[in-house]
Short mmCIF file of all heavy atoms in Angstrom, two decimals:
data_model
loop_
_atom_site.label_atom_id
_atom_site.label_comp_id
_atom_site.label_asym_id
_atom_site.label_seq_id
_atom_site.Cartn_x
_atom_site.Cartn_y
_atom_site.Cartn_z
N PHE A 17 -6.70 14.48 -10.49
CA PHE A 17 -5.66 13.49 -10.20
C PHE A 17 -6.09 12.54 -9.08
O PHE A 17 -5.95 11.31 -9.20
CB PHE A 17 -4.36 14.20 -9.83
CG PHE A 17 -3.23 13.26 -9.49
CD1 PHE A 17 -2.55 12.59 -10.49
CD2 PHE A 17 -2.86 13.05 -8.16
CE1 PHE A 17 -1.50 11.71 -10.17
CE2 PHE A 17 -1.83 12.18 -7.85
CZ PHE A 17 -1.14 11.50 -8.85
N THR A 55 -8.24 10.68 2.52
CA THR A 55 -8.38 11.53 3.72
C THR A 55 -8.16 12.98 3.31
O THR A 55 -7.19 13.27 2.60
CB THR A 55 -7.28 11.17 4.75
OG1 THR A 55 -7.34 9.77 5.00
CG2 THR A 55 -7.48 11.93 6.07
N LEU A 66 1.98 21.65 10.87
CA LEU A 66 0.97 20.74 10.30
C LEU A 66 1.61 19.75 9.33
O LEU A 66 1.34 18.54 9.39
CB LEU A 66 -0.12 21.56 9.57
CG LEU A 66 -1.14 20.74 8.79
CD1 LEU A 66 -1.96 19.86 9.73
CD2 LEU A 66 -2.06 21.64 7.97
N TYR A 78 4.96 9.11 -1.40
CA TYR A 78 5.09 10.08 -2.48
C TYR A 78 4.43 11.40 -2.09
O TYR A 78 3.31 11.39 -1.56
CB TYR A 78 4.38 9.58 -3.74
CG TYR A 78 4.83 8.23 -4.24
CD1 TYR A 78 3.90 7.23 -4.51
CD2 TYR A 78 6.18 7.97 -4.48
CE1 TYR A 78 4.30 5.99 -4.99
CE2 TYR A 78 6.59 6.73 -4.95
CZ TYR A 78 5.64 5.74 -5.20
OH TYR A 78 6.04 4.52 -5.67
N ALA A 83 -0.27 22.14 -4.94
CA ALA A 83 -0.77 23.36 -4.27
C ALA A 83 -0.01 24.58 -4.77
O ALA A 83 1.22 24.63 -4.73
CB ALA A 83 -0.60 23.22 -2.75
N ALA A 84 -0.77 25.56 -5.21
CA ALA A 84 -0.14 26.78 -5.73
C ALA A 84 -1.21 27.84 -5.94
O ALA A 84 -2.39 27.53 -6.05
CB ALA A 84 0.55 26.50 -7.07
N VAL A 137 7.63 28.44 -16.96
CA VAL A 137 8.96 28.76 -16.40
C VAL A 137 9.98 29.04 -17.50
O VAL A 137 10.99 29.68 -17.25
CB VAL A 137 9.50 27.64 -15.46
CG1 VAL A 137 8.57 27.43 -14.28
CG2 VAL A 137 9.72 26.34 -16.22
N GLU A 197 -11.94 31.39 -14.15
CA GLU A 197 -11.11 32.58 -14.37
C GLU A 197 -10.13 32.31 -15.51
O GLU A 197 -9.55 33.23 -16.06
CB GLU A 197 -10.32 32.93 -13.11
CG GLU A 197 -9.34 31.85 -12.71
CD GLU A 197 -8.61 32.08 -11.40
OE1 GLU A 197 -8.72 33.17 -10.82
OE2 GLU A 197 -7.94 31.13 -10.93
N ALA A 234 0.27 11.34 -17.04
CA ALA A 234 1.72 11.62 -17.12
C ALA A 234 2.33 11.65 -15.73
O ALA A 234 3.41 11.10 -15.49
CB ALA A 234 1.94 12.95 -17.84
N GLU A 255 -1.25 23.29 -30.37
CA GLU A 255 -1.13 24.75 -30.33
C GLU A 255 -2.36 25.39 -30.97
O GLU A 255 -2.80 24.98 -32.05
CB GLU A 255 0.11 25.21 -31.09
CG GLU A 255 1.40 24.85 -30.41
CD GLU A 255 2.59 25.38 -31.20
OE1 GLU A 255 2.62 26.59 -31.49
OE2 GLU A 255 3.47 24.58 -31.52
N TYR A 268 -19.32 25.73 -31.20
CA TYR A 268 -19.92 24.49 -30.67
C TYR A 268 -21.21 24.81 -29.92
O TYR A 268 -22.23 24.14 -30.08
CB TYR A 268 -18.93 23.75 -29.73
CG TYR A 268 -19.53 22.46 -29.24
CD1 TYR A 268 -19.40 21.29 -29.98
CD2 TYR A 268 -20.29 22.42 -28.06
CE1 TYR A 268 -20.00 20.10 -29.56
CE2 TYR A 268 -20.89 21.24 -27.63
CZ TYR A 268 -20.74 20.08 -28.39
OH TYR A 268 -21.35 18.92 -27.98
N SER A 275 -28.47 28.56 -30.01
CA SER A 275 -28.18 29.17 -31.32
C SER A 275 -28.12 30.70 -31.26
O SER A 275 -27.71 31.34 -32.22
CB SER A 275 -29.22 28.72 -32.35
OG SER A 275 -30.49 29.12 -31.89
N CYS A 313 -7.44 13.86 -28.12
CA CYS A 313 -7.07 14.96 -29.04
C CYS A 313 -7.91 16.19 -28.68
O CYS A 313 -8.94 16.10 -28.00
CB CYS A 313 -7.29 14.55 -30.49
SG CYS A 313 -9.02 14.36 -30.90
N ILE A 318 -12.24 19.16 -26.19
CA ILE A 318 -12.98 20.40 -26.03
C ILE A 318 -14.49 20.12 -26.00
O ILE A 318 -15.24 20.76 -25.25
CB ILE A 318 -12.60 21.46 -27.11
CG1 ILE A 318 -13.11 22.84 -26.72
CG2 ILE A 318 -13.08 21.08 -28.49
CD1 ILE A 318 -12.42 23.49 -25.58
N LYS A 329 -24.22 22.93 -14.63
CA LYS A 329 -24.47 24.36 -14.43
C LYS A 329 -24.46 24.73 -12.96
O LYS A 329 -24.05 25.81 -12.56
CB LYS A 329 -25.82 24.75 -15.04
CG LYS A 329 -25.83 24.77 -16.56
CD LYS A 329 -26.90 25.72 -17.08
CE LYS A 329 -26.87 25.81 -18.58
NZ LYS A 329 -27.71 24.81 -19.25
#
Side-chain angles (χ1 to χ4, degrees):
F17 179 76
T55 306
L66 172 64
Y78 303 129
V137 299
E197 63 185 351
E255 290 182 54
Y268 183 87
S275 59
C313 69
I318 195 71
K329 288 206 177 89

